[in-house]
Amino acid sequence: FKDLGTLSTNGGTATNLTAGTTYTFRVRAVNASGSSGFSNTVTQKIDLPDLIPHAISVSETTVAPGGSITVSYEVKNQGGANAGSFLNEFRLSVDGTITTFDALLGGELIGSLNAGATTGTRNITFTIPSNTSPGTYYVGITADSAGAVSENSEFNNLLASVPISVSFAGKPDLVPTLL
């Protein structure tokens, strides 16, 4: 046990504690006559935020290279502490596993998020890169992509959408012929 100092008769505040750490506390009374024995112990974990993408959907399931797509999403703070500002990044992936190697579509900064709260549904529009080859892709979100918020878990910050098709649908398919 570490002595935190003398507290007033109305209690006190322990400071400089590390989030994510469990602490055990005990107290005793001290006056001019001496001191009492220690109280029973109380254990308290200093909780952290835990940001998770809660939902993601896309406005279009088929889009042309260079076309726009609107992503609707929510992030939830399932942790026991408030989160400060954080960046959500969105990527275009050839599979359902979102990584930093996937094409970055853009991001959105969130000011803060209270413990237990969600961002509510947010909508953000991106342009599919014009050099994207036709095929099946996934739009994915990484909550707190820059790691600005210390969290209970840093391994639950990714979520992918349903598959989308990037194609030249509706555009002419010109085939050269000899005259």
Side-chain angles (χ1 to χ4, degrees):
F1 286 93
K2 178 181 175 185
D3 187 351
L4 296 177
T6 303
L7 306 175
S8 74
T9 58
N10 295 325
T13 302
T15 59
N16 298 320
L17 302 179
T18 303
T21 302
T22 300
Y23 292 91
T24 302
F25 299 93
R26 64 184 183 176
V27 296
R28 70 178 173 173
V30 177
N31 61 24
S33 300
S35 60
S36 69
F38 284 102
S39 69
N40 292 333
T41 59
V42 174
T43 301
Q44 178 67 47
K45 181 177 181 183
I46 309 304
D47 210 350
L48 293 170
D50 193 13
L51 302 170
I52 61 165
H54 186 58
I56 185 170
S57 62
V58 292
S59 60
E60 303 292 331
T61 56
T62 301
V63 62
S68 294
I69 190 167
T70 299
V71 177
S72 299
Y73 77 98
E74 286 186 9
V75 171
K76 180 177 183 176
N77 180 357
Q78 68 179 8
N82 297 343
S85 66
F86 58 95
L87 178 67
N88 296 321
E89 281 187 345
F90 299 85
R91 294 186 177 270
L92 187 65
S93 176
V94 296
D95 56 37
T97 303
I98 308 303
T99 71
T100 56
F101 296 107
D102 295 321
L104 178 64
L105 295 174
E108 182 176 38
L109 185 65
I110 303 297
S112 64
L113 191 58
N114 291 338
T118 69
T119 57
T121 301
R122 303 189 62 83
N123 298 302
I124 187 165
T125 301
F126 299 108
T127 300
I128 300 299
S130 59
N131 62 347
T132 302
S133 298
T136 300
Y137 292 86
Y138 298 80
V139 175
I141 179 176
T142 304
D144 189 30
S145 60
V149 176
S150 294
E151 300 180 59
N152 284 330
S153 174
E154 298 288 349
F155 301 105
N156 58 358
N157 292 19
L158 305 170
L159 185 63
S161 71
V162 297
I164 65 168
S165 176
V166 174
S167 69
F168 294 105
K171 303 231 176 182
D173 186 11
L174 304 176
V175 178
T177 58
L178 291 174
L179 296 176

